[in-house]
Amino acid sequence: MRKPLFAAIAAVFAVSAVQAAQPSLSAELREKAKAIIQPIEPAKIDHPAKVDLGRQLFFEPRLSLSGIISCNTCHNLSLGGVDNLKTSIGHKWQPGPVNAPTVFNSSLNIAQFWDGRAANLQEQAAGPIQAPVEMAMPHTLAVAVIQSIPGYVETIKTIYDTDVVTLDHITDAMAEFEKTLVTPNARFDKWLKGDDKALTATELEGFKIFYESGCIACHNGPNLGGNSFQKLGVVEPYKSTSPAEGRAAVTKKDEDRWYFKVPTLRNVELTYPYFHDGEAATLEDAVTLMGRLQLGRTFTADELKKVVAFLHTLTGERPQMPLPLLPPSGPNTPRPDPFK
Amino acid sequence: MRKPLFAAIAAVFAVSAVQAAQPSLSAELREKAKAIIQPIEPAKIDHPAKVDLGRQLFFEPRLSLSGIISCNTCHNLSLGGVDNLKTSIGHKWQPGPVNAPTVFNSSLNIAQFWDGRAANLQEQAAGPIQAPVEMAMPHTLAVAVIQSIPGYVETIKTIYDTDVVTLDHITDAMAEFEKTLVTPNARFDKWLKGDDKALTATELEGFKIFYESGCIACHNGPNLGGNSFQKLGVVEPYKSTSPAEGRAAVTKKDEDRWYFKVPTLRNVELTYPYFHDGEAATLEDAVTLMGRLQLGRTFTADELKKVVAFLHTLTGERPQMPLPLLPPSGPNTPRPDPFK
């Protein structure tokens, strides 16, 4: 009888010892993490009617000259708020110059676009509508289309108390909708809030490497990125396939060349391929290159595996929403023309 | 006192007389209509898990070679189950040969496609995936992509009890989803079921003209069409901008040239432009041309207005559904290539 009992007790202690090691590392790391990373909180909806209108407009292909491209084409909310292409395909199948950034949690970014040329979501929303390689729709025509659709005019009257549609109504509603596109309850956030069991030992070690090797220096804040502009290619220059020069396009300063907004790592499992030119196909590629270019560091195969495991814990709950039903065109709605 | 009372009684009688005329016409027309048109009934869902999987696949851009075209691109469920273009835009911005028919109520059609070359929805679903001007995705690659996505493999295992994905699983689930895309409770259906107030006098007169002038000969059944192949250009030949020759492409019989499946008139307000080549921009254009080409009849302006008013009563309740969330690609998922 004693042997089995002893064996059982030993087994219990052994398991406890393994489990105990992790909470101690876990607690220490959590304190460090909490000083620099915040969990994503559910969206507070101030204007439900604007959110509903913004959702319709986000899915509205009549905001494109061709009539088939909507915001959701490249920022696909069924995927990771992206199109998973190197660079997006726009009007007449033209490739865009940069990789489409995710719209999820974008309200937490310091600015919008890779070069931060839009101060906020409302300013951002106007860009792709008119960009010739994206939706190619002159703003005046976009406004005329919405003004010609009775269902939209009625909704805009209710919300903004006017019969005259402006671009500001369109982009304001879109921005209000986009503010709701947050992804709370990632396993990492659960861990950050105190749940030791939310991460495996491997994932936790991955975060430790991420923290200690310096990734955290740029990928911090609630979005693990998105809150600063940094040079791509600090230790070693990056040879890009994209003509984009980054922040310099906005500031017109030579020293801002190759500075880009640090991308969020939230839902990074879903937002491949990576970098502003989409040239890193996998998380392994991206982490390897980042280590070399930014930190002058070559991760071992084991480190790489662990960091990637950690990155997978940043996938949150994607927003659930009804598919919006769009109001029918009116008799005078300008008709789309894909070949214009 | 008497005069006002008499006036009031006379007024009541006058109003009753006007109101009575309509129910009498209404009842008579209803009996005729019920013999040949059936209301749309809500969908019965036999396989909810298949419907959910089918909805994901319907919105799945990874079923296209480019990675950005899904079934929903051309059969947009936020609109009328169509793209509202003359002919659809597909892979590399190629125009399709014919106008995209609505997916709403398509389970009620005798066959699928304008020429009826697919016997049912499952057979239809396979077509656009592989068509070079649509999604341009070889079936083998489509199956390989779904097989490589762990979330889909798991779901297919649960439903079909196998680890090996086939095209049949994909198209079976899509067809089950599409069967749910019915649009009940159109005002016309409410009238058909006995609600005299569901139609205005003008709309009812429009239906009377529609019935008596012979439109009903082809546009009947629950879908007001979709249940026969008919020659386009009976009285007068139709000069089409489309190379499509209709039913002859399937039967290889010369006498079937210009025979097309009669399109449904359900939700016709939402499914512009009209005809297999999309050349009729408005309902007024379509009714005018149909009268001339098929019936040798020129509708007066008043008749036209009334028939169009009736057609607007065929708009049903579009299906409400959640936007599906798609499972992430696996490590070996073939990556899309828009320029292949």
Side-chain angles (χ1 to χ4, degrees):
Chain A
M1 288 281 284
R2 292 209 111 162
K3 254 184 176 168
L5 182 62
F6 173 80
I9 290 169
V12 166
F13 271 84
V15 168
S16 300
V18 168
Q19 286 181 335
Q22 204 183 322
S24 150
L25 171 65
S26 187
E28 188 192 319
L29 271 173
R30 181 181 293 119
E31 285 317 300
K32 289 186 184 173
K34 281 169 77 172
I36 196 164
I37 302 175
Q38 296 78 43
I40 297 278
E41 300 299 342
K44 280 183 210 147
I45 296 181
D46 298 322
H47 304 287
K50 283 187 183 180
V51 171
D52 288 344
L53 172 61
R55 187 187 301 111
Q56 289 182 308
L57 294 169
F58 192 89
F59 282 82
E60 183 51 85
R62 286 169 290 187
L63 284 178
S64 67
L65 193 59
S66 65
I68 55 164
I69 302 176
S70 71
C71 305
N72 193 61
T73 303
C74 300
H75 300 286
N76 194 324
L77 303 180
S78 293
L79 300 170
V82 296
D83 53 15
N84 295 130
L85 297 180
K86 274 189 191 178
T87 69
S88 299
I89 294 297
H91 190 66
K92 292 187 180 172
W93 214 257
Q94 295 172 87
V98 288
N99 180 263
T102 181
V103 70
F104 289 150
N105 309 304
S106 56
S107 58
L108 303 171
N109 291 338
I110 190 177
Q112 303 302 326
F113 296 116
W114 280 97
D115 56 14
R117 66 184 181 276
N120 54 44
L121 288 172
Q122 181 172 10
E123 211 179 304
Q124 189 281 332
I129 294 175
Q130 191 155 259
V133 300
E134 299 185 52
M135 296 163 84
M137 187 78 159
H139 283 156
T140 48
L141 187 52
V143 171
V145 163
I146 300 304
Q147 180 79 68
S148 74
I149 298 173
Y152 281 131
V153 172
E154 200 181 311
T155 306
I156 285 168
K157 171 86 176 173
T158 309
I159 298 173
Y160 298 100
D161 195 25
T162 171
D163 294 314
V164 182
V165 177
T166 66
L167 186 66
D168 275 354
H169 300 140
I170 297 171
T171 55
D172 178 61
M174 280 183 178
E176 286 301 315
F177 168 60
E178 289 176 10
K179 284 179 200 166
T180 70
L181 302 178
V182 294
T183 63
N185 299 322
R187 287 196 291 118
F188 182 78
D189 284 353
K190 289 179 182 170
W191 172 80
L192 209 54
K193 289 179 172 182
D195 179 0
D196 284 326
K197 291 178 185 158
L199 300 189
T200 67
T202 302
E203 290 160 353
L204 197 64
E205 284 167 40
F207 175 62
K208 189 166 182 279
I209 298 163
F210 179 87
Y211 188 97
E212 290 175 355
S213 63
C215 310
I216 195 86
C218 298
H219 292 285
N220 55 46
N223 231 355
L224 288 95
N227 54 355
S228 70
F229 298 96
Q230 301 291 343
K231 187 175 182 181
L232 176 59
V234 173
V235 179
E236 198 181 301
Y238 178 65
K239 297 209 159 90
S240 180
T241 55
S242 163
E245 296 203 345
R247 190 72 186 142
V250 180
T251 64
K252 311 293 176 198
K253 289 183 189 164
D254 207 49
E255 64 262 36
D256 287 338
R257 284 175 80 190
W258 325 127
Y259 274 68
F260 292 93
K261 190 180 65 189
V262 177
T264 175
L265 295 181
R266 292 279 176 192
N267 309 297
V268 72
E269 170 187 17
L270 306 176
T271 60
Y272 61 87
Y274 308 104
F275 301 169
H276 71 283
D277 54 12
E279 284 293 331
T282 66
L283 277 177
E284 286 76 6
D285 293 349
V287 173
T288 302
L289 260 168
M290 281 283 101
R292 219 181 69 206
L293 302 179
Q294 306 300 100
L295 304 167
R297 173 171 182 150
T298 304
F299 290 113
T300 67
D302 183 63
E303 286 173 329
L304 188 61
K305 194 184 114 196
K306 287 171 176 168
V307 171
V308 169
F310 152 65
L311 292 174
H312 278 260
T313 71
L314 296 173
T315 305
E317 289 170 3
R318 286 180 278 177
Q320 304 230 337
M321 67 187 80
L323 179 74
L325 298 180
L326 307 181
S329 290
N332 300 317
T333 300
R335 295 298 168 94
D337 186 346
F339 293 99
K340 212 166 174 180
Chain B
M1 288 279 285
R2 290 204 112 164
K3 256 183 174 170
L5 181 62
F6 174 81
I9 290 170
V12 166
F13 270 84
V15 168
S16 299
V18 168
Q19 285 180 335
Q22 205 183 323
S24 148
L25 171 66
S26 186
E28 188 193 318
L29 271 173
R30 183 182 292 119
E31 285 319 299
K32 289 185 185 175
K34 281 170 78 173
I36 195 163
I37 302 174
Q38 295 78 43
I40 298 278
E41 300 298 342
K44 279 181 210 150
I45 296 181
D46 298 322
H47 305 287
K50 284 188 183 181
V51 171
D52 287 344
L53 173 60
R55 188 185 302 113
Q56 288 181 308
L57 294 168
F58 192 89
F59 282 83
E60 184 50 87
R62 286 168 292 186
L63 285 177
S64 67
L65 193 60
S66 65
I68 55 164
I69 302 177
S70 72
C71 305
N72 193 63
T73 304
C74 300
H75 300 286
N76 193 326
L77 304 180
S78 295
L79 299 169
V82 295
D83 53 16
N84 295 129
L85 296 181
K86 274 189 190 181
T87 71
S88 297
I89 295 296
H91 189 66
K92 292 187 182 172
W93 214 257
Q94 296 172 87
V98 288
N99 179 263
T102 181
V103 71
F104 289 149
N105 307 304
S106 56
S107 58
L108 304 172
N109 292 338
I110 189 176
Q112 304 301 326
F113 295 116
W114 280 97
D115 57 14
R117 67 184 181 276
N120 53 46
L121 287 173
Q122 182 173 9
E123 213 178 301
Q124 189 280 333
I129 293 175
Q130 190 155 261
V133 300
E134 299 185 51
M135 296 162 84
M137 186 79 158
H139 283 157
T140 48
L141 186 53
V143 171
V145 162
I146 300 303
Q147 182 78 68
S148 74
I149 298 174
Y152 282 130
V153 173
E154 199 179 310
T155 305
I156 285 168
K157 173 85 175 173
T158 310
I159 298 173
Y160 299 101
D161 196 25
T162 173
D163 294 314
V164 183
V165 177
T166 66
L167 186 66
D168 275 354
H169 299 138
I170 297 171
T171 55
D172 178 60
M174 278 182 181
E176 287 301 315
F177 168 60
E178 290 176 9
K179 284 178 199 166
T180 69
L181 302 178
V182 295
T183 62
N185 300 323
R187 287 196 290 121
F188 183 78
D189 284 355
K190 289 181 182 170
W191 172 80
L192 209 54
K193 289 179 172 182
D195 179 0
D196 284 326
K197 291 179 185 157
L199 300 189
T200 67
T202 302
E203 290 160 352
L204 198 64
E205 283 167 39
F207 175 62
K208 189 165 182 280
I209 298 163
F210 179 87
Y211 188 97
E212 291 175 355
S213 63
C215 310
I216 195 85
C218 298
H219 292 285
N220 55 47
N223 231 354
L224 289 94
N227 54 354
S228 70
F229 297 96
Q230 301 292 343
K231 186 174 181 180
L232 177 59
V234 173
V235 179
E236 197 182 302
Y238 178 65
K239 297 208 161 89
S240 181
T241 55
S242 164
E245 296 203 342
R247 191 72 186 141
V250 180
T251 64
K252 311 294 176 197
K253 289 181 188 163
D254 207 49
E255 64 262 37
D256 286 338
R257 284 176 80 190
W258 325 126
Y259 274 70
F260 292 92
K261 189 180 69 191
V262 177
T264 176
L265 295 181
R266 292 279 177 194
N267 310 297
V268 73
E269 171 187 16
L270 306 176
T271 61
Y272 61 87
Y274 308 104
F275 302 170
H276 71 284
D277 54 12
E279 284 294 332
T282 66
L283 277 176
E284 285 77 6
D285 293 348
V287 174
T288 302
L289 260 169
M290 281 283 101
R292 219 181 69 206
L293 301 179
Q294 305 302 98
L295 304 168
R297 173 170 183 150
T298 304
F299 290 112
T300 65
D302 182 62
E303 286 173 330
L304 187 61
K305 193 185 116 198
K306 287 172 175 167
V307 171
V308 169
F310 152 64
L311 292 173
H312 279 260
T313 72
L314 296 172
T315 305
E317 287 169 5
R318 286 181 278 178
Q320 303 230 336
M321 67 187 81
L323 179 75
L325 298 180
L326 306 180
S329 290
N332 301 316
T333 300
R335 295 298 167 94
D337 186 347
F339 293 99
K340 213 169 173 178

